[in-house]
Amino acid sequence: MASAVTSIDLQTKNAFPNPNYGQTPTPPGYVPPQAPAMMPVPQRPVGCPPGLEYLTQIDQLLVHQKIELAEVILGWETNNKYLVKNTLGQQVFYVAEENDCCTRQCCGPMRSFVLHVQDNMGQEVMTLTRPLRCASCCCPCCLQELEVQAPPGNPIGYVIQKWHPFLPKFIVQNEKREDVLRIQGPFCACNCCSDVNFEVMSMDESTQVGRICKQWTGMLQEAFTDADNFGIKFPMDLDVKIKAVLFGALFLIDFMFFENSNNKH
């Protein structure tokens, strides 16, 4: 039996490898796709909601919306999906919208939604909920609002739109509904070959705390898709729950101002 095993091992080393029936030959220079690098899981500090320990180690996030062929070819609105990475290109979160077809097609970018935020283990660590609200800047009632839950079912903060005739303005609140930060956008949120910045300010607007940036993705992608790239910056030592609420504000801003490709140029 030992000699038979040896002969089999030797056959695998000869110049005549077994044919790959039904398989396409690999072209020269082909590099197989690599799995995305994952951010290592840091130790969770005391009082930090499960899954938010990633945010304790970073002061910037990059959010890439996945391009859906059905939207590009047919113009058919699908559930949004996003990859969230750190500045090293390591994946931190995966975000997926939960919505029905009727709501997506009839309400468009002003639709209510639930976004599920998963960590690299596939566990849902945050839930972002937006109710259906008024879309007119002329109506000061029933303005936009987003609730951030971490873990799901446990609210940790809110993003509230403030009425203004010209400027996009929002208030960031903690779990007790206390005002913590302000967000202010530009007079015109349309971008042509440039980024669009929403500044995160202190409550008295004397200090800039961070920034949410809609990044220019190129003429073709901007013109024919609503897939966007965003960056967000905040202080490293900011309360991790407020970081999570600012992260949620990014998606509310995306849906309000950049989800419809007709509004981006």
Side-chain angles (χ1 to χ4, degrees):
M1 291 298 294
S3 60
V5 172
T6 303
S7 64
I8 292 174
D9 291 340
L10 291 175
Q11 288 177 7
T12 62
K13 300 178 181 179
N14 61 23
F16 303 98
N18 293 331
N20 295 324
Y21 296 109
Q23 297 184 9
T24 304
T26 302
Y30 171 76
V31 178
Q34 301 295 318
M38 303 294 184
M39 180 178 174
V41 182
Q43 185 175 2
R44 181 159 64 95
V46 177
C48 176
L52 298 192
E53 58 267 20
Y54 294 94
L55 298 180
T56 64
Q57 303 295 313
I58 53 181
D59 59 358
Q60 295 185 50
L61 285 172
L62 305 175
V63 180
H64 306 285
Q65 184 178 350
K66 299 182 68 175
I67 298 177
E68 302 290 344
L69 292 180
E71 292 190 7
V72 177
I73 299 174
L74 304 176
W76 189 261
E77 187 67 38
T78 61
N79 282 327
N80 289 354
K81 303 178 183 67
Y82 306 83
L83 290 178
V84 183
K85 300 180 180 180
N86 60 17
T87 54
L88 298 178
Q90 298 171 327
Q91 182 171 320
V92 182
F93 298 122
Y94 175 77
V95 184
E97 177 188 0
E98 177 189 350
N99 230 323
D100 60 86
C101 180
C102 181
T103 299
R104 293 196 308 270
Q105 308 312 319
C106 296
C107 300
M110 301 313 298
R111 62 186 180 266
S112 60
F113 63 69
V114 176
L115 295 181
H116 301 280
V117 183
Q118 297 178 335
D119 63 11
N120 293 327
M121 305 300 178
Q123 298 295 319
E124 185 172 350
V125 297
M126 278 188 279
T127 302
L128 314 178
T129 305
R130 176 203 192 186
L132 183 64
R133 292 293 180 86
C134 178
S136 173
C137 65
C138 299
C139 182
C141 61
C142 298
L143 297 177
Q144 297 297 310
E145 180 176 337
L146 180 84
E147 181 183 79
V148 180
Q149 301 174 3
N154 179 46
I156 62 170
Y158 306 85
V159 183
I160 309 295
Q161 182 187 11
K162 304 299 291 184
W163 184 85
H164 192 278
F166 309 114
L167 299 176
K169 289 194 173 188
F170 303 88
I171 294 292
V172 175
Q173 298 179 335
N174 60 18
E175 67 271 23
K176 298 179 181 179
R177 292 276 188 175
E178 298 170 340
D179 297 349
V180 179
L181 296 171
R182 295 182 182 271
I183 302 175
Q184 179 172 310
F187 171 74
C188 180
C190 299
N191 63 332
C192 182
C193 303
S194 63
D195 297 344
V196 179
N197 296 323
F198 288 74
E199 308 297 347
V200 181
M201 310 293 293
S202 59
M203 283 304 300
D204 59 5
E205 300 187 4
S206 63
T207 305
Q208 182 176 344
V209 177
R211 172 178 292 174
I212 297 173
C213 176
K214 161 64 177 67
Q215 300 170 343
W216 172 257
T217 56
M219 187 64 69
L220 289 178
Q221 183 168 330
E222 294 284 342
F224 296 105
T225 77
D226 58 10
D228 301 313
N229 290 343
F230 281 85
I232 181 171
K233 298 181 181 180
F234 34 60
M236 183 73 75
D237 59 353
L238 186 66
D239 184 347
V240 68
K241 295 181 181 179
I242 300 303
K243 286 184 179 182
V245 179
L246 288 175
F247 175 69
L250 181 152
F251 296 97
L252 180 61
I253 289 172
D254 179 29
F255 273 81
M256 289 182 63
F257 301 104
F258 306 106
E259 176 65 10
N260 189 344
S261 61
N262 295 328
N263 293 337
K264 299 196 293 183
H265 52 275

